[in-house]
Amino acid sequence: MKELNLEIVKEFDFNAEDIVEFAGEFLPDTENNGEFDEFMHGVVDNIAADMDAEVDMTDAFYDTYPTKEVEEFMAEDKTLEQAIVAYLESKIEYIKEYA
């Protein structure tokens, strides 16, 4: 596993073991059963709640879903774990900007 930069996500008590656990839930989009998407939506909703943000993350990203976004980050030469961190960071930045 490549080095994970957890600076932003550690503010929300995520560590490398959590990211590895999230990666264990991931299936490629061709095998997507929706469980990873639901799980990650819940994680992001919890982050928004921790930030006291009133933003509906499902409505904000109605045209995409976590599996697709993680795969897009992986296409940028990131490992699965790095892609999950990047996904979480992108949602945290969105919440900070729009909440």
Side-chain angles (χ1 to χ4, degrees):
M1 175 172 37
K2 290 183 182 176
E3 185 70 26
L4 295 177
N5 181 358
L6 301 173
E7 289 304 308
I8 294 173
V9 299
K10 75 178 183 183
E11 294 176 34
F12 300 94
D13 296 323
F14 293 111
N15 57 44
E17 291 81 22
D18 296 323
I19 302 305
V20 170
E21 181 181 331
F22 297 166
E25 299 292 323
F26 181 83
L27 290 174
D29 201 24
T30 56
E31 301 172 31
N32 188 350
N33 61 8
E35 289 182 28
F36 178 78
D37 298 321
E38 287 182 35
F39 178 73
M40 293 307 290
H41 279 304
V43 169
V44 171
D45 285 340
N46 288 340
I47 291 170
D50 288 348
M51 296 172 74
D52 292 324
E54 293 188 27
V55 61
D56 185 338
M57 297 303 288
T58 305
D59 284 345
F61 295 93
Y62 66 91
D63 60 341
T64 190
Y65 46 95
T67 299
K68 179 180 175 183
E69 290 183 69
V70 168
E71 286 189 343
E72 288 171 359
F73 284 117
M74 290 172 66
E76 298 172 4
D77 201 31
K78 294 184 183 325
T79 66
L80 174 56
E81 291 81 3
Q82 289 170 330
I84 290 171
V85 171
Y87 166 80
L88 293 172
E89 288 175 341
S90 72
K91 298 307 175 224
I92 292 166
E93 291 303 316
Y94 177 87
I95 294 166
K96 286 179 179 178
E97 189 171 332
Y98 294 103

